[in-house]
Amino acid sequence: MQIQGMELLKISLLLPILCYIFSFADGGSIGVNYGRIANNLPSAVKVVELMKSQGIERVKVYDTDPAVLKALSGSAIKVVVNLPNEQLSNAAKRPSFANAWVLRNVVSHYPSTAIEAIAIGNEVFVDTHNTTRFLISAMKNIHQALVKYKLDDTIKVSSPVALSALQNSYPSSAGSFRPDLIEPVFKPMLEFLRQTDSSLMVNIYPFFAYESNANVISLDYALFRENPGVVDAGNGLRYFSLFDAQIDAVFAAMSALKYDDVKITVTETGWPSKGDSNEVGASIENAAAYNGNLVRRVLTGGGTPLRPHEDITVYLFALFNENKKFGPTSERNFGLFYPNEKKVYNIPFTVEGLKSYRDHRSPATGGEQRVSRGPSNGQTWCVASAQVGKDKLQAALDYACGEGGADCHPIQPGSTCFDPNTLESHASFAFNSYYQKKGRGIGTCYFGGTAYVVSQQPKYGKCEFPTGY
């Protein structure tokens, strides 16, 4: 295994960013989720005017509130409505209920309200009321009601699933659905989606993966910023964003069941602007970077590494901060807007808006790849990851001490940092030497995915790592 030069890698990573700035191709579509678990939100009429003023062309709601659907009438904003989880059993058991529901909540508003899809439930598999067994029948009965009213060609039926429906999501190539859901749910659901030319709705939140694994996941990788990327050992593809990796894990799971032709719609994704002290990464800066860079990634075209030609529709979560939501502080701070209609942070929603958009880093965090774990006075070090395996680590160490030009004399037998005589400690010293010599630049603590940045000075035995050269 031979590691490529870091400077060449930096240049190659910069090219896509320059293309984003100077060229805007047709891409996917951006929508928003309009949640209303709050007691201080503006009227639906004002909300529709706000969306129109921002150029937002799609919205997903969590019910079929007549006031909301009426306010959307004539706006040309495309709408996804929701049959709530608590109504799944009725829709599954009684076709007459499904018919009446579609007549009352869809037919009576369409086409003046541009309803384009019905979400049957939301994250049903994690619903504590055990509604999973009703899902497929409810989807089919609602679809049959649409057939009755001759709307099945224009209004699609699907169901948003959480990423927890996967048994494996890393690496992406190993993506697979939970075994207990495959036969009773996913096979019939995917067959239904194929037959009706609908897409699988998926809720994807890189924030939660980063929050739980901030010591191993690069923040730049989570926020669509310049980074060395992560190579999937299973398929050889390099990923530059956690978002793409998570989507491809779902695509891989679908492919394993022979449903390569079914598309995906990301019905929820977002990043909180505020969180509790243990909610690593929740900040206005990170939320602005994630959502702004996501909009750019979606609207400028191109699919994922596994599906490079497949544009994706993505719904940001959420339009407003919702003050009545339960859970940690982050749950009430996913909004793009405050209830007074002011932006929480400034991001574009259209291709035109992208032309003047830049991701502004905070000077305090702009150069770091990992979350701080303690006081560092701005200093960072590069250390080896023991989880990657001895072969990869040895190859990376050989590169650092050879072609990389790291100062490896202190880890030779009899020298000051030979002990402890372990591959991890020796690799960490060599990686840090290279990293410090290169001025701690972005991409200089990578080594094929075997290294990461820390903000507390490493110490192996009596060997203290230097802070610079």
Side-chain angles (χ1 to χ4, degrees):
M1 173 179 176
Q2 184 173 0
I3 315 283
Q4 294 182 347
M6 296 300 163
E7 297 306 315
L8 289 175
L9 185 56
K10 281 185 67 178
I11 293 172
S12 68
L13 293 175
L14 188 60
L15 291 176
I17 296 174
L18 295 177
C19 290
Y20 279 144
I21 295 173
F22 295 111
S23 175
F24 292 90
D26 291 334
S29 178
I30 288 290
V32 295
N33 283 275
Y34 175 20
R36 295 181 293 116
I37 306 177
N39 61 5
N40 57 356
L41 300 183
S43 68
V45 172
K46 288 186 176 181
V47 171
V48 172
E49 289 304 314
L50 174 65
M51 288 191 289
K52 289 168 62 177
S53 73
Q54 298 296 320
I56 295 171
E57 298 178 344
R58 279 185 158 89
V59 65
K60 183 168 77 71
V61 295
Y62 290 88
D63 52 25
T64 51
D65 187 312
V68 173
L69 297 182
K70 183 178 179 181
L72 286 162
S73 176
S75 67
I77 296 174
K78 296 179 180 178
V79 184
V80 177
V81 298
N82 179 245
L83 174 76
N85 288 356
E86 54 267 25
Q87 296 184 22
L88 285 182
S89 61
N90 283 333
K93 295 174 182 177
R94 297 162 47 202
S96 60
F97 176 91
N99 282 329
W101 189 92
V102 168
L103 179 62
R104 180 174 64 254
N105 298 297
V106 177
V107 176
S108 63
H109 297 280
Y110 185 87
S112 58
T113 299
I115 299 171
E116 64 173 344
I118 302 171
I120 307 300
N122 187 57
E123 299 188 347
V124 173
F125 308 145
V126 295
D127 184 2
T128 57
H129 295 96
N130 193 25
T131 52
T132 299
R133 65 187 186 276
F134 303 121
L135 179 58
I136 302 304
S137 293
M139 292 176 70
K140 290 181 176 179
N141 284 343
I142 291 294
H143 175 72
Q144 282 304 120
L146 291 173
V147 171
K148 176 181 178 180
Y149 296 109
K150 296 181 173 56
L151 294 176
D152 54 301
D153 285 338
T154 53
I155 300 178
K156 301 302 179 180
V157 173
S158 187
S159 180
V161 301
L163 205 63
S164 58
L166 296 185
Q167 176 77 4
N168 296 305
S169 60
Y170 180 83
S172 297
S173 58
S176 61
F177 294 117
R178 282 169 38 192
D180 60 304
L181 295 174
I182 290 176
E183 294 297 333
V185 183
F186 273 109
K187 281 189 175 179
M189 179 193 290
L190 292 170
E191 185 62 30
F192 169 83
L193 297 177
R194 171 185 281 169
Q195 296 299 326
T196 59
D197 193 26
S198 301
S199 62
L200 179 65
M201 296 177 169
V202 184
N203 296 343
I204 291 178
Y205 286 93
F207 166 72
F208 293 120
Y210 173 76
E211 176 197 21
S212 301
N213 302 278
N215 59 325
V216 293
I217 295 178
S218 161
L219 183 59
D220 288 336
Y221 181 65
L223 298 180
F224 301 91
R225 285 173 168 165
E226 179 186 351
N227 67 88
V230 176
V231 175
D232 186 318
N235 57 25
L237 298 173
R238 185 179 293 273
Y239 287 85
F240 293 98
S241 76
L242 182 54
F243 175 85
D244 279 3
Q246 290 182 328
I247 291 178
D248 272 359
V250 181
F251 276 135
M254 293 163 62
S255 180
L257 300 182
K258 311 299 183 187
Y259 288 94
D260 297 276
D261 54 328
V262 177
K263 296 187 176 184
I264 283 177
T265 295
V266 178
T267 35
E268 285 185 22
T269 191
W271 196 285
S273 60
K274 185 178 180 181
D276 295 321
S277 59
N278 64 334
E279 294 189 280
V280 179
S283 71
I284 284 183
E285 182 211 357
N286 290 344
Y290 178 80
N291 283 314
N293 290 333
L294 172 62
V295 170
R296 178 170 61 189
R297 179 251 179 275
V298 171
L299 294 185
T300 51
T304 64
L306 196 59
R307 302 269 186 103
H309 304 296
E310 189 161 313
D311 293 328
I312 297 174
T313 295
V314 175
Y315 291 82
L316 303 179
F317 186 88
L319 195 55
F320 295 105
N321 284 339
E322 298 172 72
N323 66 350
K324 290 297 183 179
K325 294 198 75 172
F326 293 105
T329 297
S330 62
E331 285 294 314
R332 295 173 290 284
N333 289 277
F334 271 91
L336 301 165
F337 294 87
Y338 294 111
N340 64 4
E341 301 181 48
K342 300 296 183 183
K343 281 188 174 183
V344 178
Y345 42 83
N346 190 40
I347 64 166
F349 300 101
T350 64
V351 171
E352 186 64 30
L354 282 175
K355 294 179 180 178
S356 59
Y357 171 71
R358 298 292 181 271
D359 171 13
H360 297 290
R361 292 171 176 263
S362 162
T365 61
E368 295 186 12
Q369 293 175 297
R370 307 283 162 166
V371 61
S372 295
R373 291 300 186 188
S376 65
N377 298 320
Q379 179 64 44
T380 54
W381 294 262
C382 182
V383 297
S385 171
Q387 284 74 39
V388 298
K390 290 183 178 180
D391 290 344
K392 288 187 67 176
L393 206 55
Q394 185 64 58
L397 173 59
D398 293 344
Y399 167 81
C401 292
E403 184 182 344
D407 179 12
C408 294
H409 292 97
I411 56 176
Q412 300 304 310
S415 296
T416 55
C417 289
F418 178 73
D419 291 321
N421 182 17
T422 67
L423 181 58
E424 182 184 353
S425 65
H426 288 183
S428 292
F429 188 92
F431 293 169
N432 184 65
S433 171
Y434 181 96
Y435 177 65
Q436 302 295 339
K437 281 188 172 184
K438 295 295 183 180
R440 302 188 297 276
I442 292 175
T444 60
C445 181
Y446 175 55
F447 298 98
T450 64
Y452 62 98
V453 175
V454 296
S455 56
Q456 283 187 316
Q457 188 169 15
K459 187 174 182 180
Y460 290 87
K462 295 181 180 180
C463 180
E464 292 190 5
F465 287 19
T467 57
Y469 289 88

